[in-house]
Amino acid sequence: MIVRDKPSWRELAFALRGSIVPAIAPRIVLLMLFSAGMVCLHRHFAAFPEIDAMGFTVFGIALSLFLGFRNNAAYDRWWEARRLWGGLLADLRSFAREVQLFVPDTAFQKQAIRLSRAFIHLHRANLRNLEDDPLARLHGGEMADAPHPPDAALDRIAAIIGEAYRTGAIDGFGAKALQERLGSITLQQAGCERIAATPLPYVYSLLIYRTTYVYCMLLPLALLGPAGWMTPLFVGIVAYVFLGLAEVTEDLSHPFGTTPNALPLDAICRAAEISLAPHLGEDPPPPLEARDFYLS
């Protein structure tokens, strides 16, 4: 995720980190060259009809409305994912406090809290499809090789809570409170997996990109007469707006990735480590800092 203050006019004009320009620049250039070729052919051979701009205005309004709808849907996914990860962080902090409140055995406390720390890293690696993530391997150990690593961590926590209850190390109220906390963690986990496994319908992407390219390739017909050789510039500006919004939407619809606009899952996991360290009697690690305005 890009982390920076309000940009100055110079940064607005030239900043590339976090911008969508590098991803769409080649396509914009191709569309501008295509429109320049149309202008050249029209100037020398009158090869194309000059069409009234009114139809393109209506077309552009409809396209912008559809892009706005898709952008809202993508942002809803991104924001819901951020809320779920905020809930996971809160649940892990509460779980550590509840373990120390209800369980007198220090060894049990540390085992349960370490497993909760392993869970958050295994969950991050699972969402990002990282098969051999170093931190997940470090904290999760052999659980990283389980069919579903984050579930393996939660199952192990549930198993030791059940064992503690059966041996009398924890009373029924404490066991119930801890299981309810695990249920809340599981609910947040399932919400994240639902988002990761259910992308925006492919037909939306197909329709958006097809319509945008058709619009940008036909737009010179309305500009050949009044704009002349300025046509490629205007086509480039329109392509930047529509293709840029479509690409931003595509980026936001995958909130667990490693793109500049994805969620900073590494930083959230580090925040969990910092919160859990005092409960384990360990020195907390430093928080992750943004590098070149990027927080992973």
Side-chain angles (χ1 to χ4, degrees), residues 113-123 136 139-141 143 150 153:
I113 294 171
R114 287 194 183 99
L115 284 170
S116 70
R117 182 176 62 185
F119 161 78
I120 198 71
H121 282 290
L122 293 169
H123 182 47
H139 296 291
M143 291 183 295

Side-chain angles (χ1 to χ4, degrees), residues 124-172:
R124 171 185 56 80
N126 186 60
L127 290 175
R128 287 183 167 175
N129 295 315
L130 303 176
E131 295 183 358
D132 198 19
D133 181 71
L135 287 174
R137 180 71 60 180
L138 172 66
H139 296 291
E142 75 279 3
M143 291 183 295
D145 296 320
H148 196 286
D151 266 1
L154 293 181
D155 289 344
R156 189 165 298 185
I157 295 173
I160 65 173
I161 291 174
E163 181 64 22
Y165 174 66
R166 285 188 293 272
T167 59
I170 181 175
D171 62 20

Side-chain angles (χ1 to χ4, degrees), residues 169-274:
I170 181 175
D171 62 20
F173 181 81
K176 182 176 183 296
L178 292 176
Q179 285 293 348
E180 287 178 350
R181 183 63 60 189
L182 284 183
S184 177
I185 292 173
T186 302
L187 189 62
Q188 314 273 7
Q189 173 201 5
C192 292
E193 291 174 351
R194 168 177 50 81
I195 293 173
T198 312
L200 285 177
Y202 174 69
V203 66
Y204 281 1
S205 297
L206 195 63
L207 181 60
I208 281 292
Y209 282 107
R210 278 181 177 173
T211 308
T212 299
Y213 282 118
V214 168
Y215 182 77
C216 290
M217 292 172 72
L218 292 179
L219 183 60
L221 298 177
L223 301 175
L224 290 172
W229 283 107
M230 292 293 290
T231 297
L233 176 62
F234 290 121
V235 169
I237 293 172
V238 172
Y240 169 74
V241 173
F242 286 148
L243 287 176
L245 188 55
E247 202 67 30
V248 167
T249 300
E250 196 69 29
D251 212 5
L252 292 179
S253 67
H254 298 89
F256 305 122
T258 55
T259 60
N261 294 302
L263 292 175
L265 302 190
D266 293 330
I268 299 174
C269 287
R270 177 60 63 85
E273 290 183 39
I274 293 170

